[in-house]
Amino acid sequence: MASLATRLLLCSIVGLVAYGYMQRAPVIPELIIVAQFDFKEGHAEEGARLLAASAQGSRKEPGCLRFDVMRDRALPSRLLTFEAFATAADLEVHKAQPHTKAWGAFQFGELKPVASKVVRRLTVVEWQSRQASANYEVKVTSPRSRL
């Protein structure tokens, strides 16, 4: 069993690390993309699989702050993505990634599985960022937003 001094030292280190993490300013995305894809019959599941793979790969990119894929409950052949990038340059890096290219090859491939697509490029008005713990929350209003 660790001595009291060792346990106190470890607690202090953990506390300092957590405090330092929480003091970092949250990154406000410069660019958010919300896309809606309506798939032709028989293509929604493959589209969902490829978008999910793209999301998983994208989340590993340093400039990708968020990438979610959702399905419309009322219309299962409709998928939506929510993507947040720290900068426009990070979006360009994202476009060059293999997982993004795989999605593009499917989307624009021979089968043309997407019946319709709506893409919105958005700017942050207010951004909520979760930090080190679920109990610590930061809300930021972006100076980039224009109402």
Side-chain angles (χ1 to χ4, degrees), residues 14 18 24 39 55 60 63 83 117 127 134:
V14 168
R24 281 189 251 153
F39 289 90
K60 296 174 185 169
E83 308 166 45
K117 174 171 83 169
W127 181 256

Side-chain angles (χ1 to χ4, degrees), residues 53-118:
S54 183
Q56 291 166 7
S58 298
R59 290 181 196 127
K60 296 174 185 169
E61 299 168 26
C64 180
L65 305 177
R66 187 173 187 105
F67 195 122
D68 299 318
V69 180
M70 295 144 289
R71 185 183 305 268
D72 188 316
R73 287 183 178 200
L75 189 59
S77 62
R78 176 175 289 163
L79 297 172
L80 294 98
T81 63
F82 179 92
E83 308 166 45
F85 295 94
T87 67
D90 292 319
L91 175 60
E92 295 308 311
V93 169
H94 167 73
K95 290 177 182 178
Q97 300 305 309
H99 49 268
T100 306
K101 288 183 176 188
W103 161 248
F106 171 73
Q107 178 183 190
F108 301 113
E110 187 177 311
L111 296 175
K112 305 277 189 242
V114 178
S116 69
K117 174 171 83 169
V118 178

